[in-house]
Amino acid sequence: MTDIAAEVLIERLAAWGVDTVYGLPGDGINGIMEGLRRHQDKVRFVLVHHEEAAAFMATAHAKATGRLGVCLATSGPGGIHLLNGLYDAKLDHQPVLAITGMQETSVLGTGYQQEVHLERLYDDVTEYNLLIDNPAQLPGVVDIAIRTAYARRGVAHLTMPNDVQVAPADADPYQHVAPARPPATAPIYLSPPGVPREEDLHAAADVLNSASKPAVLVGAGALHARAEVLAVAEALGAPVVKTLPGKAVIPDDSPFAVGGIGLLGTRPGEDLMEECDTLLMAGTNFPYTKHLPSPGQARVVQIEADPTRAGVRLPTEVPMIGDVKEGLAALLPLLKHNDDRSHLAAYAEAMRRWRSEMHALETADRRPVAPQYVISCIDRAASDDAILTCDSGTIATWAARHWTIRGERGFYLSGNLATMAPGLPYAVAMQHAFPGRQVIAYVGDGGFSMLMAEFLTAAQHGLPIKVVINNNNSLGQILWEQMVLGYPEHGVRFGRPASDFSAWARSCGGYGRKVDDPADVAEAVAQALAHDGPALVDVDVNPNEPPMPGKVSYEQAKKFAEAFMKGQPHRVSIATTLFKDKISKLGR
């Protein structure tokens, strides 16, 4: 059998250690599909139901494993569908390779069916972007694309006309007129050194050693550096605040943990940002600057892998460039142990009170079901190495506050893009990557309905993912955002009939259960987690439970009141829920 050019592509992916490609076939990639068929012993093709999900899965694979994620789509509409998931990878700095098809070269530029020039469309989302029009370019451009994705922590894209895909692998149809030949490359990437410059480490230590009210802010770039973060916090006597993508950096029961930052964060976390006189930022480019210390309030030290991101959010006295794990390990011997634990003790006590208040909201005696209770049931029943994937919306608030990081638990969501719908495809990819771990998708009804076909994907691939739907029959986050602007809600609640996604789960051959009674929630979650296969629990929750900030500002309260006065249609139910929340907290 004659080798075709597409085989060279697939063989090179395998040489880079790629073992899984997520995608959807089409006539624009039949040659690549044949390459995958011929080398299915090396690279597994995971057939999904929507290309957007394939891109989310590639992004999730990269987030969870640190290795290249790969997705595949046909020409035209298939490639267009990949874009949202690819922007998730771009904005969260994940190495992903997108491979797409293209019409054959002889008809390009003629307005042929589905002729979309994906190399132009992808120009903004990619770090490397190429249309392959000669088999002789392979495998060199594959090596360059993958090295670029790793080095720049972003998306690479190769699009291949279908006649080039099926051309003989050794075809080189053109005369070489340049003083060059196709480069002979190797499937090797070495990460740059991760230790910051010695003078920067000493400068950082000088700032941190002089702190009286230190704070550490960690993000997703520190997920691999738990021991180093805790050692630095111990030396400084510093409370540690976590961004939501960095939630799993340190355990939530650590004496240094003060929860999250921002609207989804904790009151102690907000207080710390307002009070600290020195801030160490590690592996984060947190964009919501209103929740950071005011410029000039605190001396700032930052360790950041990308020089262009260092000092972007705050005036940074010492921007160290390097890997968080290696950088903090090198910094640690230069730090003086702070024997004054009063600052740390004050925040430990504040967190004890905060946890007590949050626990008070996890009550089973509310009807409709309190969303805080649902996630608390998941938290108690899940294993200590469970991975929770989450959609964007109000559920991100409940997960931030009621999903406890302990042991080797993981937590993943769309960070900077904050798109709807990735929770389910993330779970599919992570179950592929970690077949022995419990993987739970905690999603809203709005996000789940967008890509719900991927539950069938999980069933067809024998993946025992668990899905818990926080079903408020609305776009909950937008509802509250409208009210915080002072406007009554509009166009955010779905009508009747209300959704019952458990029926869909059962039709896919999985476990499916609909719950509207709080007395049944814990049992349903436990049964789903114990089920030998994909399982889904669809819980009807209180749609009028507001995801309140850790600290409510005067301006936020004023706008909320304005929305009520202008005719907020569910003001009685919302006010009743807020009153019950307050009573529950006081009862603690």
Side-chain angles (χ1 to χ4, degrees), residues 268-399:
E270 289 285 287
D271 289 340
L272 181 62
M273 289 296 99
E274 294 172 4
E275 184 187 18
C276 68
D277 64 5
T278 306
L279 176 64
L280 169 60
M281 299 174 65
T284 178
N285 189 29
F286 185 72
Y288 304 107
T289 50
K290 284 187 177 181
H291 297 280
L292 294 171
S294 301
Q297 169 198 319
R299 303 177 73 184
V300 179
V301 172
Q302 184 175 5
I303 180 163
E304 167 60 57
D306 185 346
T308 64
R309 294 199 297 264
V312 166
R313 306 303 180 190
L314 284 174
T316 304
E317 192 168 337
V318 184
M320 296 181 290
I321 307 305
D323 173 74
V324 173
K325 185 178 181 69
E326 295 182 54
L328 293 183
L331 177 66
L332 192 60
L334 305 177
L335 299 178
K336 299 175 183 177
H337 190 274
N338 181 5
D339 295 325
D340 181 0
R341 299 277 126 165
S342 58
H343 174 64
L344 181 62
Y347 278 94
E349 174 58 23
M351 274 306 291
R352 186 198 65 77
R353 294 193 299 269
W354 172 266
R355 292 188 185 104
S356 179
E357 290 180 10
M358 292 301 100
H359 183 63
L361 300 176
E362 299 169 355
T363 175
D365 58 8
R366 297 270 197 94
R367 290 193 71 119
V369 180
Q372 299 95 323
Y373 178 60
V374 177
I375 185 62
S376 74
C377 290
I378 300 170
D379 184 60
R380 286 191 293 271
S383 64
D384 283 355
D385 68 345
I387 297 172
L388 188 79
T389 67
C390 185
D391 265 357
S392 303
T394 55
I395 48 167
T397 300
W398 315 134

Side-chain angles (χ1 to χ4, degrees), residues 455 458-460 462-467 505 508-512 528 531-536:
F455 188 86
Q460 291 169 335
L463 299 173
I465 66 167
K466 315 304 176 189
V467 181
C508 295
Y511 172 96
H531 181 70
D532 184 20
L536 181 150

Side-chain angles (χ1 to χ4, degrees), residues 239-259:
V240 178
V241 188
K242 303 181 288 184
T243 67
L244 194 53
K247 180 174 173 60
V249 172
I250 67 171
D252 283 315
D253 59 0
S254 165
F256 302 102
V258 292

Side-chain angles (χ1 to χ4, degrees), residues 81-164:
H81 279 160
L82 288 178
L83 273 175
N84 195 45
L86 295 180
Y87 270 101
D88 187 32
K90 172 187 170 72
L91 269 63
D92 280 355
H93 313 293
Q94 298 301 319
V96 166
L97 173 64
I99 302 169
T100 62
M102 181 66 70
Q103 283 68 26
E104 67 178 74
T105 55
S106 64
V107 298
L108 288 179
T110 68
Y112 191 71
Q113 184 188 36
Q114 296 184 337
E115 184 179 347
V116 176
H117 287 263
L118 296 173
E119 79 282 7
R120 301 176 197 167
L121 182 67
Y122 281 31
D123 189 56
D124 179 65
V125 78
T126 54
E127 299 291 340
Y128 185 87
N129 185 20
L130 181 70
L131 185 150
I132 299 171
D133 50 15
N134 186 340
Q137 294 171 274
L138 299 169
V141 295
V142 179
D143 292 344
I144 297 169
I146 294 175
R147 270 199 294 270
T148 303
Y150 275 127
R152 297 183 184 170
R153 304 292 302 177
V155 178
H157 172 230
L158 296 173
T159 187
M160 200 171 180
N162 50 21
D163 56 331
V164 178

Side-chain angles (χ1 to χ4, degrees), residues 505-519:
R506 292 191 296 274
S507 75
C508 295
Y511 172 96
R513 183 167 174 182
K514 182 71 168 178
V515 177
D516 61 7
D517 188 334

